[in-house]
């Protein structure tokens, strides 16, 4: 049938108060709630609003609702309101009421073929009792029981059996239906238990006062002895008031043990009950498994739940009642049902049904809608909601919380065990009182060899192995204080433990799960997956992921002095010297300066270049430049030289004092970015699972871990991963490989390496820690945790750490090269390039001096020309004239017939005479 968006049903008006359906909606749900439960209506409307905003489920269609409130003890009113809703036209009826009215609605839904999703509501938070069946359950009943059956009898019986109680008293409040524990009383009677019953009146103070007034002293003593073991079937509010009263009247002592059982116990109720009680307290409540990843708690397939309802830290979510959770999931289930009906084009329009007309026909689409609802299932606030063939939700989980014996009212609460209808009790419950004395207790300890946590210290044939290590030292400290003894053995498969495809655990964790060991000890990290099957003590050492690498061979760069500047920059500086020297020469050639009398400097190209170079290296110059253009050029050049030399000096100091290792890995990010060096970890280890989770999980995806996972998981993980940590360490030491593993283990390996050839890189953020694992519900966990905290507070734990991770290690485990930890002075390798340049300059200078000497002698041996002898003054034959080998100084004097020795008379150029205003008869000599 093709469904249009127009209205496909008619209205029948037989009530003055009605809620019209929007004309553009074909989805209409009716709801009937207890008038005392306004929060059910609030959550119901919030669920509808969330789904109307989700276009992936209903696309353009929207859900409309009609809600009616009734008296919990008035079945006639409930039927009347339901008929009004059916008269308006509804696809399904949702009810959150008590058993009395639910039976009437069940008969009405069967008659009108309207799917009825019933959520049982207990009055004022009292424990539920099973509703009496109106008829024998049939597969075609139109009432679906959203809340699972009441299993309180089964849970409390197994808890009492685990505690081996033989005598106790049951307290129940006035609102609880005592018929709900008939089966439990029958089971205890068959086991020969002595069980008493007592009703707690609404005025608890008056009840307790009356007991003191009517009982004799001997009767009060016997009553106090009976109160040592008690089970409370009452609401949390009544339980708080009752516990407060009996504690204040000294009816109970610190050796009492009470069990409070109720599906509806919030976290706030747990804290308040623990604060008000003394002795030991066990609480049994319904729980809803949440995704381990906090980012997935509000996402269910293609729907995002309102944050105020799914975030455990939100105050509104903490105040949610169980019925509120089931109401939200019911609306979500109906929305998915409507989605499937629309996709399959099997939509049946809403019909206006009349309950009071004779011969009224039921809804034709009711059976199809009911079957679609029963076949579906959704994951929501109650974990997973589905129905079996009888229309019952089978999914329910209980958690058993508990405290230790004691008078302190701030003691912690821990999860002791869990219970579900399929697996029963998962955990160990014991009523044994534990103090700081465990003498006579022998614990069986399972371990995995991992340096330096657990190592074999002595292995003599025919004798038990002896072990040593940091974890062994911690265990010995606990044993010496608490007085227990232990037997230790290595896990058969030498693994820490991971969950297999069939749901079982192997390794060290598997030994605890199958109860073959009492304690698990090694470099064992606390993870959510492991904590779901075993218990952990408080962490005794922080954990972080690290990388073990081989130190690089240190290379010597002879030209480290050139490192501050790039080669292209050096070329630019050299070109600039040549360019500026040429420009200075050209500026002086175009506009020659007027030199003062007595000046002997010349402005040749050679002198200009030498002057520019000397000023660049801050050595000065000898050629005076007096023109404005030349001085402007030199001023800019000196500023340029000052900046360049200052920058070079600063960078050279940094390059010579800081060891720079090119292409070294100094963080996890560096490791993830490169692909030249392969790296991996131990298969199926906690590190392996952590990298995989942060790479594949879309809600906690980290780009760094995604890059690491591509390398680690290459060829399915077989190429780069190892079976044991020792194999990974061996690959690092003797090959090209980086090993990702526990930072504490890797630091110990690097510290104790003989040639100090290894170093570590670690993540400084400690997001988890090492703990001692025990069986689920172990009685030893709290006492171990308390002693570990004492070791940490008094500094003993730090002393144990220094034994295996000393601070004065000769190896620098954080440096990627073989350097000393106390710093190092500049060595000859850092200045080898400078000495090389000096040596090259000396050789080149000697070579040039040799060439100049040869050239001077060759030129000096020439005979003066006739022209020179005719034009110039006469020279004495016995005094040869030699040109100087260095720079010459010009001196002017009047001409004379004879020159001084070693001087040569040379006629002056006409331009030179004009520049210096020299008389025509003046000659000059070269000295």
């Amino acid at each position: 049938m093709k469904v249009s968006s127009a209205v496909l049903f008619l209205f029948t008006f037989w009530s003055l108060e009605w809620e019209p359906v929007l004309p553009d909606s074909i989805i209409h749900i009716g709801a009937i709630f207890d008038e005392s439960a306004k929060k059910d209506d609030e959550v119901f409307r919030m669920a509808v609003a969330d789904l109307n905003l989700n276009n992936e489920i209903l696309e353009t269609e929207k859900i409309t609702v009609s809600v009616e409130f009734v008296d919990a003890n008035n079945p006639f009113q409930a039927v009347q309101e339901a008929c009004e809703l059916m008269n308006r036209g509804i696809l399904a009826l949702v009810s959150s009421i008590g058993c009395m009215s639910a039976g009437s609605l069940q008969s009405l839904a069967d008659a009108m073929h309207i799917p009825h999703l019933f959520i049982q509501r207990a009055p004022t938070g009292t424990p539920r009792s099973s509703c009496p069946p109106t008829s024998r359950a049939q597969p075609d009943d139109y009432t679906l029981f959203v809340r699972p059956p009441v299993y309180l009898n089964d849970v409390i019986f197994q808890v009492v059996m685990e505690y081996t109680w033989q005598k106790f008293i049951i307290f129940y409040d006035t609102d609880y239906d005592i018929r709900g524990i008939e089966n439990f009383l029958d089971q205890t009677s068959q086991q020969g238990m002595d069980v008493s019953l007592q009703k707690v009146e609404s005025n608890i103070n008056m009840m307790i006062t009356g007991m003191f007034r009517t009982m004799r002293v001997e009767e009060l003593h016997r009553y106090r002895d009976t109160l040592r073991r008690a089970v409370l079937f009452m609401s949390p509010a009544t339980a708080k008031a009752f516990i407060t009263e009996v504690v204040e009247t000294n009816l109970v002592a610190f050796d009492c043990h009470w069990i409070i059982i109720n599906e509806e116990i919030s976290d706030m109720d747990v804290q308040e009950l623990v604060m008000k009680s003394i002795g030991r307290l066990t609480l049994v409540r319904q729980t809803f498994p949440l995704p381990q990843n906090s980012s997935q708690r509000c996402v269910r397939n293609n729907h995002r739940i309102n944050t105020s309802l799914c975030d455990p830290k939100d105050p509104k979510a903490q105040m949610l009642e169980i019925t509120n959770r089931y109401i939200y999931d019911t609306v979500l289930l109906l929305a998915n049902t409507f989605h499937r009906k629309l996709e399959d084009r099997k939509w049946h329009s809403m019909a206006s049904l009349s309950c009071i007309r004779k011969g009224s026909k039921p809804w034709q689409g009711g059976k199809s809608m009911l079957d679609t609802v029963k076949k579906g299932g959704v994951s929501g606030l109650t974990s997973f909601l589905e129905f079996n063939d009888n229309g019952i939700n089978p999914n329910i989980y209980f958690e058993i919380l508990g405290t230790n014996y004691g008078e302190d009212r701030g003691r912690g609460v821990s999860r002791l065990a869990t219970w579900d209808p399929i697996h029963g009790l998962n955990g160990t419950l014991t009523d044994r009182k534990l103090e700081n004395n465990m003498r006579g207790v022998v614990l069986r300890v399972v371990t995995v060899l991992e340096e330096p946590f657990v190592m074999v210290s002595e292995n003599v044939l025919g004798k038990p192995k002896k072990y040593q290590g940091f974890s062994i030292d911690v265990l010995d400290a606990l044993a010496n204080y608490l007085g227990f003894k232990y037997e230790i053995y290595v896990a058969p498969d030498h693994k820490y433990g991971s969950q297999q495809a069939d749901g079982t655990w192997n390794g060290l964790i598997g030994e605890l799960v199958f109860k073959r060991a009492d304690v698990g000890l090694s470099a064992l990290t606390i993870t959510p997956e492991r904590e779901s099957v075993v218990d952990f003590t408080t962490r005794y050492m922080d954990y972080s992921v690290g990388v073990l690498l081989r130190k690089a061979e240190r290379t010597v760069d002879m030209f480290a002095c050139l490192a501050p500047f790039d080669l292209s920059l050096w070329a630019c500086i050299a070109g600039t010297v040549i360019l500026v020297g040429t420009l200075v020469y050209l500026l002086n050639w175009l506009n020659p300066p007027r030199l003062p009398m007595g000046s002997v400097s010349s402005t040749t190209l050679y002198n200009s270049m030498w002057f520019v170079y000397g000023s660049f290296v801050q050595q000065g110059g000898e050629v005076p430049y007096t023109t404005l253009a030349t001085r402007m050029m030199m001023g800019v050049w000196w500023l340029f030289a000052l900046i360049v030399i200052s920058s070079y000096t600063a960078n050279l100091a940094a390059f010579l004092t800081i060891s720079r290792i090119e292409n070294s890995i100094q963080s996890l990010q560096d490791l993830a970015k490169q692909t030249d060096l392969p790296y991996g970890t131990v298969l199926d280890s906690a590190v392996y699972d952590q990298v995989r989770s942060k790479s594949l999980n879309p809600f906690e995806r980290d780009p760094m871990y995604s890059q690491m996972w591509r390398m680690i998981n290459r060829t399915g993980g077989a190429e780069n991963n190892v079976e044991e940590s020792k194999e990974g360490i061996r690959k690092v030491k003797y090959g090209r490989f980086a090993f990702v593993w526990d930072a504490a283990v890797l630091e110990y390996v690097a510290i104790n390496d003989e040639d100090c050839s290894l170093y570590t890189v670690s993540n400084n953020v400690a997001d988890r820690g090492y703990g001692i694992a025990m069986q689920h519900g172990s009685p030893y966990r709290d006492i171990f945790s308390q002693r570990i905290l004492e070791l940490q507070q008094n500094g003993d734990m730090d002393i144990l750490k220094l034994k295996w991770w000393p601070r004065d290690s000769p190896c620098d485990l954080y440096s990627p090269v073989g350097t000393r930890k106390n710093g190092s002075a500049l060595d000859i390798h850092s200045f080898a390039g400078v000495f090389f340049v000096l040596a090259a300059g000396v050789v080149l200078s000697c070579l040039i001096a040799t060439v100049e000497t040869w050239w001077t002698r060759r030129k000096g041996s020439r005979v003066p020309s006739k022209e020179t002898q005719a034009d110039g003054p006469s020279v004495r034959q016995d005094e040869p004239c030699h040109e100087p080998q260095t720079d010459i100084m010009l001196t002017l004097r009047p001409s004379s017939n004879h020159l001084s020795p070693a001087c040569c008379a040379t006629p002056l150029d006409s331009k030179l005479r004009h520049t210096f205003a020299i008389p025509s008869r003046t000659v000059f000599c070269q000295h």
Side-chain angles (χ1 to χ4, degrees):
M1 176 184 294
K2 185 175 181 180
V3 181
S4 64
S5 61
V7 179
L8 301 179
F9 59 90
L10 301 175
F11 291 94
T12 302
F13 301 89
W14 70 285
S15 175
L16 295 177
E17 293 183 4
W18 60 283
E19 188 170 338
V21 180
L22 297 178
D24 59 343
S25 175
I26 61 174
I27 302 175
H28 190 209
I29 303 175
I32 296 178
F33 298 140
D34 192 325
E35 61 184 5
S36 63
K38 298 296 182 181
K39 197 167 185 178
D40 287 350
D41 175 60
E42 179 184 352
V43 176
F44 179 77
R45 296 183 182 276
M46 187 179 296
V48 172
D50 289 348
L51 289 164
N52 284 338
L53 295 175
N54 189 344
N55 296 327
E56 295 184 14
I57 297 180
L58 295 177
E59 298 179 356
T60 59
E61 301 298 336
K62 303 298 180 183
I63 300 176
T64 58
V65 297
S66 295
V67 180
E68 300 292 343
F69 295 94
V70 298
D71 184 5
N73 298 318
N74 192 343
F76 178 79
Q77 182 188 7
V79 172
Q80 184 180 10
E81 299 295 345
C83 287
E84 180 183 1
L85 294 174
M86 295 178 185
N87 190 28
R88 301 177 194 176
I90 57 176
L91 297 176
L93 176 64
V94 179
S95 67
S96 174
I97 52 179
C99 294
M100 186 178 295
S101 300
S104 301
L105 292 181
Q106 183 177 356
S107 301
L108 178 63
D110 292 342
M112 306 307 294
H113 290 190
I114 296 294
H116 172 215
L117 288 88
F118 167 55
I119 304 169
Q120 182 184 358
R121 185 174 186 83
T124 63
T126 302
R128 285 193 304 155
S129 296
S130 299
C131 293
T134 57
S135 62
R136 191 172 182 180
Q138 299 292 334
D140 57 349
D141 287 345
Y142 282 81
T143 296
L144 303 177
F145 296 88
V146 178
R147 287 194 75 168
V150 180
Y151 288 99
L152 296 182
N153 286 336
D154 305 281
V155 180
I156 191 61
F157 178 74
Q158 195 160 0
V159 170
V160 170
M161 290 293 294
E162 286 286 320
Y163 283 142
T164 64
W165 284 4
Q166 293 298 319
K167 183 180 179 180
F168 58 93
I169 184 172
I170 296 178
F171 292 100
Y172 62 96
D173 57 16
T174 56
D175 294 324
Y176 181 70
D177 188 357
I178 193 62
R179 294 174 296 178
I181 58 173
E182 288 180 354
N183 293 336
F184 172 66
L185 294 176
D186 292 339
Q187 290 175 318
T188 56
S189 178
Q190 294 174 5
Q191 296 294 327
M193 299 179 183
D194 185 2
V195 182
S196 304
L197 289 173
Q198 184 173 353
K199 183 179 181 179
V200 178
E201 302 295 337
S202 56
N203 193 333
I204 300 175
N205 182 267
M206 183 179 296
M207 184 190 75
I208 299 297
T209 304
M211 290 170 52
F212 277 93
R213 187 171 56 249
T214 57
M215 285 184 178
R216 296 190 302 269
V217 176
E218 295 80 4
E219 292 177 338
L220 281 175
H221 285 316
R222 288 195 296 269
Y223 186 70
R224 283 194 178 98
D225 185 68
T226 303
L227 292 181
R228 292 182 65 250
R229 301 289 181 267
V231 179
L232 278 62
F233 282 86
M234 56 183 65
S235 66
T238 306
K240 297 173 193 174
F242 182 66
I243 292 175
T244 301
E245 196 68 31
V246 296
V247 169
E248 291 178 353
T249 54
N250 293 324
L251 283 175
V252 292
F254 68 92
D255 60 341
C256 71
H257 186 179
W258 283 18
I259 302 175
I260 302 176
I261 181 168
N262 193 333
E263 293 171 322
E264 197 91 44
I265 301 178
S266 65
D267 293 341
M268 186 177 298
D269 292 333
V270 172
Q271 296 177 3
E272 293 179 1
L273 287 169
V274 172
M275 291 294 296
K276 295 179 181 296
S277 65
I278 62 174
R280 185 174 183 182
L281 186 65
T282 299
L283 301 105
V284 182
R285 66 175 181 177
Q286 185 178 353
T287 184
F288 305 95
L290 296 175
Q292 296 177 355
N293 186 0
S294 59
S295 60
Q296 292 182 337
R297 291 176 181 171
C298 295
V299 179
R300 300 293 189 275
N301 296 328
N302 56 349
H303 179 65
R304 177 175 289 277
I305 302 175
N306 195 299
T307 307
S308 62
L309 302 180
C310 61
D311 187 2
K313 298 181 180 179
D314 193 283
K316 195 170 185 178
Q318 295 176 358
M319 299 302 295
L320 276 181
E321 300 174 0
I322 292 181
T323 54
N324 303 151
R325 294 175 176 270
Y326 280 112
I327 285 174
Y328 192 100
D329 289 357
T330 300
V331 178
L332 181 59
L333 176 64
L334 289 175
N336 282 274
T337 301
F338 301 149
H339 174 72
R340 289 193 300 272
K341 296 288 288 183
L342 290 171
E343 280 190 337
D344 298 339
R345 299 182 179 274
K346 296 180 180 180
W347 186 262
H348 294 275
S349 60
M350 296 177 289
S352 176
L353 305 178
S354 176
C355 302
I356 59 178
R357 293 179 184 176
K358 293 184 179 180
S360 178
K361 295 182 179 180
W363 182 34
Q364 296 180 355
K367 179 61 177 176
S368 176
M369 185 68 70
L370 177 68
D371 293 339
T372 307
V373 174
K374 293 174 68 175
K375 292 178 182 178
V378 293
S379 178
L381 295 177
T382 60
S383 185
F384 192 77
L385 175 60
E386 61 180 349
F387 299 99
N388 56 21
D389 295 336
N390 294 327
I392 298 174
N393 178 15
N395 300 318
I396 188 170
Y397 304 90
F398 288 88
E399 67 174 355
I400 302 170
L401 308 176
T403 66
N404 284 332
Y405 288 98
E407 295 181 271
D408 54 321
R409 301 189 176 186
R411 57 197 186 281
V413 181
S414 59
R415 175 186 280 189
L416 305 179
T418 58
W419 188 95
D420 63 86
I422 299 177
H423 303 93
L425 188 68
N426 180 17
T428 303
L429 301 177
T430 178
D431 201 23
R432 179 181 179 182
K433 181 179 178 181
L434 289 179
E435 297 177 348
N436 290 338
N437 186 0
M438 293 177 59
R439 300 191 183 279
V441 178
V442 179
L443 300 178
R444 186 162 171 79
V445 180
V446 60
T447 187
V448 174
L449 298 180
E450 186 75 76
E451 296 181 351
F453 290 87
V454 179
M455 300 176 290
V456 177
S457 62
E458 184 177 336
N459 187 11
V460 180
L461 185 62
K463 295 183 179 181
K465 294 181 180 179
K466 293 185 179 181
Y467 297 88
Q468 65 177 359
F470 175 64
S471 296
I472 300 298
D473 291 345
V474 174
L475 184 63
D476 289 338
L478 296 174
N480 294 334
Y481 181 81
L482 300 175
F484 65 87
K485 297 181 179 180
Y486 62 88
E487 299 174 352
I488 191 168
Y489 72 98
V490 179
D493 56 1
H494 302 278
K495 293 183 178 181
Y496 289 98
S498 59
Q499 192 171 15
Q500 305 302 299
D502 57 355
T504 61
W505 285 76
N506 62 358
L508 182 150
I509 300 297
E511 296 294 301
L512 296 172
V513 171
F514 292 109
K515 303 185 184 304
R516 291 190 286 264
D518 301 308
V519 176
L521 185 75
S522 185
L524 187 65
T525 55
I526 304 173
T527 64
E529 296 79 12
R530 293 171 177 171
E531 207 165 12
S532 64
V533 293
V534 298
D535 287 344
F536 278 96
T537 63
T538 185
R539 63 172 66 180
Y540 60 88
M541 184 176 179
D542 291 333
Y543 160 87
S544 61
V545 177
V547 184
L548 183 68
L549 303 106
R550 184 175 178 83
K551 292 184 178 180
E553 296 294 336
R554 183 167 183 179
T555 58
V556 178
D557 186 6
M558 293 182 57
F559 296 95
C561 58
L562 302 178
F565 287 168
D566 185 63
L567 181 61
S568 59
L569 182 58
W570 283 114
C572 291
I573 293 175
T576 305
V577 172
I578 298 174
L579 177 62
V580 173
T582 305
L583 290 176
V584 169
Y585 170 74
L586 292 176
L587 289 175
N588 283 276
W589 183 78
L590 294 175
N591 189 13
R594 294 183 177 272
L595 297 177
M597 292 297 297
S599 177
V600 294
S601 299
S602 64
T603 56
T604 62
L605 178 61
Y606 172 78
N607 286 341
S608 299
M609 291 290 183
W610 181 254
F611 177 73
V612 171
Y613 172 76
S615 61
F616 179 77
V617 295
Q618 300 180 351
Q619 296 301 318
E622 301 175 356
V623 181
Y625 297 99
T626 58
T627 62
L628 180 61
T630 306
R631 290 185 176 182
M632 179 65 68
M633 171 65 69
M634 293 310 301
V636 175
W637 171 251
W638 288 337
L639 179 63
F640 170 80
L642 175 64
I643 296 175
V644 172
I645 295 300
S646 300
S647 301
Y648 174 81
T649 304
N651 283 340
L652 181 62
F655 270 82
L656 293 180
T657 56
I658 299 178
S659 178
R660 295 173 53 92
I661 308 300
E662 300 296 333
N663 302 324
S664 64
I665 297 173
Q666 300 188 19
S667 66
L668 289 178
Q669 289 80 1
D670 295 341
L671 181 70
K673 291 177 182 178
Q674 61 85 37
T675 57
D676 296 333
L677 180 66
Y679 53 90
T681 185
V682 177
L683 278 172
D684 298 328
S685 63
V687 177
Y688 184 87
D689 294 337
Q690 180 180 358
V691 176
R692 177 177 56 188
S693 175
K694 292 190 176 182
S695 171
L696 302 181
N697 194 327
F699 297 99
E700 59 175 348
R701 182 173 296 169
D702 190 323
M704 181 188 73
Y705 283 98
S706 299
Q707 294 174 340
M708 293 178 63
W709 177 248
R710 283 193 290 269
M711 174 66 74
I712 291 176
N713 196 44
R714 182 179 295 177
T715 65
E719 179 179 349
N720 293 330
N721 295 302
V722 295
E723 294 293 334
E724 295 183 356
S725 59
K726 291 184 178 180
E727 182 182 351
I729 296 171
R730 191 163 47 249
K731 289 182 66 175
V732 174
K733 190 170 180 62
Y734 301 105
R736 291 191 70 258
F737 187 72
F739 183 48
V740 183
W741 195 235
D742 297 4
V745 176
L746 301 181
E747 288 178 1
Y748 174 81
V749 172
I751 289 174
N752 292 274
D753 186 47
E754 294 180 356
D755 51 1
C756 295
S757 62
L758 304 176
Y759 78 100
T760 63
V761 171
S762 61
N763 186 5
N764 295 327
V765 179
D767 55 351
R768 58 183 69 174
Y770 298 99
I772 300 175
M774 298 180 179
Q775 294 180 13
H776 212 333
S778 173
Y780 311 116
R781 184 187 68 169
D782 293 338
I783 192 171
F784 272 46
S785 297
Q786 180 181 356
R787 181 54 185 163
I788 289 174
L789 291 175
E790 293 175 359
L791 291 174
Q792 292 173 341
Q793 290 177 357
N794 58 27
D796 292 341
M797 192 69 73
D798 293 332
I799 296 175
L800 296 178
K801 291 179 183 177
L802 291 176
K803 176 182 176 181
W804 301 100
W805 291 276
R807 297 176 180 174
D808 55 351
S809 170
C811 299
D812 188 352
L813 66 159
Y814 302 114
S815 176
V817 292
T819 57
R820 294 184 297 273
K821 294 175 59 176
N822 56 354
S824 59
L826 297 177
D827 51 15
I828 188 62
H829 302 292
S830 302
F831 280 93
V834 179
F835 287 100
F836 179 81
V837 172
L838 178 61
V842 171
V843 173
L844 184 61
S845 299
C846 294
L847 181 61
I848 293 175
T850 304
V851 173
E852 284 185 343
T853 302
W854 171 79
W855 177 259
T856 303
R857 290 179 178 179
R858 181 175 179 275
K859 188 176 181 180
S861 61
R862 294 179 181 178
V863 179
S865 60
K866 295 180 179 181
E867 182 179 355
T868 303
Q869 294 177 358
D871 296 339
S874 63
V875 183
R876 294 176 57 181
Q877 298 296 329
D878 57 345
E879 296 179 2
C881 181
H882 300 283
E883 294 186 1
Q885 295 181 0
T886 59
D887 293 337
I888 61 174
M889 179 182 296
L890 301 179
T891 57
L892 302 177
R893 64 176 65 180
S895 61
S896 59
N897 294 329
H898 294 87
L899 297 178
S900 62
C903 291
C904 300
T906 305
L908 292 177
D909 182 70
S910 60
K911 184 176 182 181
L912 185 62
R913 293 179 183 273
H914 176 74
T915 302
F916 291 97
I918 301 174
S920 58
R921 296 186 61 186
T922 304
V923 297
F924 72 94
C925 289
Q926 298 180 354
H927 294 276

